[in-house]
Amino acid sequence: MVDYKAAVRYLRHNKKRLPAGDTEKIISNGTSAGGALSALLGATGNAKDYEPYLKEIGAADERDDIFASSDYCPITNLDHADMAYEWMFNGVNSYYMAMWQLQDLANQGMNVPGGQTGKPALPPKALDANAANNPTASQQEVQMTQEEIAVSKVLKDAFPAYVNSLQLKDEQGNLLTLDKKQ
């Protein structure tokens, strides 16, 4: 957050030297963890709590409020994000990796999903120029291990207790609960 605020201050401080556009219309944008940071940047403009840290790093003496914050799927509760994810996606036991990612892992001698180590993950044909436009040539389905599936279930099973501990209520004051049997 301090770095983001310092960047806003830098733009304002150097507005006449940089082609920074209108520094009164700075908009942050982010998705997932970036969405959370964008939301925090938008919500904490000129907050005094950050001043000692901004001074410590030598940030410009400028305002750090922004015009708007555009946040997509912000993760705002990192302590429980894995449980929420597994609550939603438990049972989806495969995912896709780009072939170049698998090749890169294999070339580094690292374990490649599916058990390969240090072996080429790509058949030569998949390296042709058209592979990027062909999902079957540019991606490989990877199956989760039994250990990953077991951890997913543990996280999924823990999520209802967490949500119910929040004591959330609807507009009429009725307690909302999450059933373990999604």
Side-chain angles (χ1 to χ4, degrees):
M1 269 327 300
V2 173
D3 288 343
Y4 289 168
K5 289 176 161 297
V8 169
R9 289 176 175 213
Y10 177 87
L11 290 173
R12 286 219 168 97
H13 187 75
N14 292 291
K15 65 184 170 188
K16 292 183 179 166
R17 288 186 238 167
L18 298 172
D22 185 350
T23 58
E24 295 305 310
K25 299 262 170 82
I26 295 171
I27 301 172
S28 65
N29 177 275
T31 302
S32 193
L37 291 169
S38 176
L40 284 169
L41 183 62
T44 63
N46 305 317
K48 300 291 181 213
D49 295 339
Y50 292 94
E51 278 306 316
Y53 307 104
L54 289 161
K55 284 185 196 242
E56 183 181 329
I57 66 167
D61 187 19
E62 297 284 346
R63 298 178 5 249
D64 57 53
D65 59 306
I66 60 174
F67 180 73
S69 172
S70 171
D71 316 316
Y72 298 93
C73 307
I75 295 176
T76 56
N77 183 339
L78 291 174
D79 291 338
H80 301 94
D82 288 339
M83 285 190 302
Y85 181 85
E86 296 305 331
W87 174 258
M88 295 293 296
F89 296 107
N90 178 264
V92 178
N93 296 332
S94 63
Y95 56 95
Y96 289 86
M97 285 187 78
M99 296 297 268
W100 67 266
Q101 292 170 308
L102 292 168
Q103 183 69 58
D104 192 45
L105 290 173
N107 289 343
Q108 293 176 45
M110 298 174 72
N111 287 333
V112 173
Q116 294 176 312
T117 306
K119 298 177 187 171
L122 289 177
K125 184 178 176 189
L127 292 172
D128 73 38
N130 294 322
N133 296 318
N134 181 348
T136 59
S138 64
Q139 294 185 9
Q140 180 174 324
E141 184 174 15
V142 178
Q143 296 296 319
M144 290 172 58
T145 66
Q146 289 304 310
E147 182 181 4
E148 290 168 333
I149 292 168
V151 169
S152 173
K153 183 176 180 342
V154 168
L155 290 168
K156 175 193 180 245
D157 291 346
F159 189 62
Y162 161 68
V163 170
N164 294 338
S165 76
L166 298 174
Q167 300 289 300
L168 301 172
K169 297 180 181 178
D170 66 15
E171 293 90 12
Q172 292 75 39
N174 299 314
L175 189 63
L176 299 171
T177 58
L178 185 58
D179 185 347
K180 290 184 180 183
K181 298 180 189 173
Q182 179 202 11

